[in-house]
Amino acid sequence: MKTDVLSKVKRTFQKITFFNSEEDVLSNDLALMNIPALMGRRDAAYDRAIELLEQDIFIHYEDERQIIYETIMELFEVCIENTKAIIIPSKEKDTIGTVLQYLILLNDTIVSASALVKHEMMLSEDVTSISSFIGKKIQSQFRAEDEIFSASEMNILHSGRDLVEIAAPAIKKYRQARKRAFSKGSLDRYNKSFKEFFTVYQKSGIISATIKARRSQFAASKS
């Protein structure tokens, strides 16, 4: 199933047609003036989301991973909303629509991983109260389920990374074509938007001081 989905995505990206001239992509409509800034913000959010996705997520506790997943989903939401805004005034609806489908699929993958880690956290929190009601035998059942959900989370995360890897050449080609299509002024607006938003998004997904303090306290209690 995983291979089939990834193969379909790869075939879809291979069919994308890219335009190289500004005349092909953009008209003189004033509504198009915001496209460089929107694309800059979208690309900055995407790059930061991929940075977070490709880190060693499983060195973190469940609650920390949940923070990372939620941040990635927020960044992908920025990508999706800005891509939708670009579709409205652009002539290149088919290509951008394919990019939008890819972003939605990738976001759904992270949503699935997030749901699994939430379930892991719930199992951990509820085991004492439920076992007092049902009996201690339920604890072994919970441990088995925790291993299953943890393995599933890892597999889904790997699927998301595979999807990013497959799409990377097409995404790079798409961006290059878009930037070649911009006038100098539009390219300057794109670069400024990308730089400013990437600086903002770099602060996203950083494990909070509260969690770091909790880790330190836990380590001290064990020493």
Side-chain angles (χ1 to χ4, degrees):
M1 180 66 69
K2 171 183 168 183
T3 303
D4 291 342
V5 172
L6 294 178
S7 296
K8 289 178 181 178
V9 172
K10 186 174 183 180
R11 288 197 298 271
T12 299
F13 271 96
Q14 289 171 342
K15 293 177 183 177
I16 293 179
T17 302
F18 295 93
F19 297 84
N20 293 315
S21 70
E22 186 172 7
E23 184 179 358
D24 288 331
V25 182
L26 305 177
S27 70
N28 293 323
D29 193 323
L30 291 176
L32 298 171
M33 292 182 63
N34 288 330
I35 286 182
L38 291 171
M39 288 183 63
R41 183 181 183 186
R42 178 195 62 187
D43 292 351
Y46 181 83
D47 285 358
R48 177 53 180 159
I50 300 308
E51 279 188 354
L52 292 172
L53 179 60
E54 292 183 342
Q55 68 173 296
D56 188 358
I57 291 179
F58 285 93
I59 65 171
H60 299 288
Y61 297 123
E62 287 93 343
D63 53 351
E64 296 169 347
R65 296 205 302 278
Q66 184 60 22
I67 291 173
I68 295 170
Y69 289 144
E70 288 177 354
T71 303
I72 293 173
M73 288 186 290
E74 288 173 3
L75 290 168
F76 281 147
E77 188 62 29
V78 171
C79 296
I80 290 167
E81 292 305 312
N82 279 267
T83 300
K84 288 179 179 178
I86 292 168
I87 288 176
I88 295 170
S90 177
K91 289 181 177 180
E92 199 187 3
K93 290 182 172 62
D94 291 341
T95 298
I96 300 175
T98 303
V99 173
L100 179 60
Q101 290 176 339
Y102 160 70
L103 291 169
I104 292 172
L105 177 60
L106 189 54
N107 184 61
D108 287 347
T109 302
I110 304 305
V111 169
S112 298
S114 176
L116 287 169
V117 78
K118 283 181 181 179
H119 193 83
E120 292 174 58
M121 292 167 63
M122 288 176 62
L123 285 176
S124 177
E125 292 170 359
D126 294 343
V127 63
T128 302
S129 59
I130 294 178
S131 62
S132 66
F133 175 68
I134 298 177
K136 291 186 178 180
K137 288 184 179 181
I138 196 65
Q139 292 184 6
S140 60
Q141 178 67 25
F142 274 9
R143 283 194 294 270
E145 288 188 7
D146 185 58
E147 292 177 3
I148 292 170
F149 281 100
S150 180
S152 298
E153 179 194 349
M154 186 176 296
N155 288 334
I156 288 174
L157 187 62
H158 286 322
S159 293
R161 288 170 175 168
D162 288 343
L163 183 58
V164 169
E165 183 179 356
I166 289 171
I171 292 295
K172 181 179 179 180
K173 187 178 179 181
Y174 169 73
R175 286 192 187 182
Q176 289 174 341
R178 298 291 61 70
K179 288 190 280 188
R180 283 197 300 269
F182 286 145
S183 65
K184 184 182 183 303
S186 293
L187 183 59
D188 288 344
R189 289 198 297 275
Y190 170 89
N191 289 332
K192 182 179 180 181
S193 176
F194 180 93
K195 182 178 180 181
E196 290 181 354
F197 278 108
F198 190 77
T199 299
V200 172
Y201 294 145
Q202 274 188 314
K203 300 175 183 178
S204 303
I206 299 174
I207 303 305
S208 69
T210 302
I211 292 178
K212 287 183 177 179
R214 187 202 64 191
R215 277 190 171 189
S216 299
Q217 292 171 358
F218 179 78
S221 68
K222 293 294 183 181
S223 61

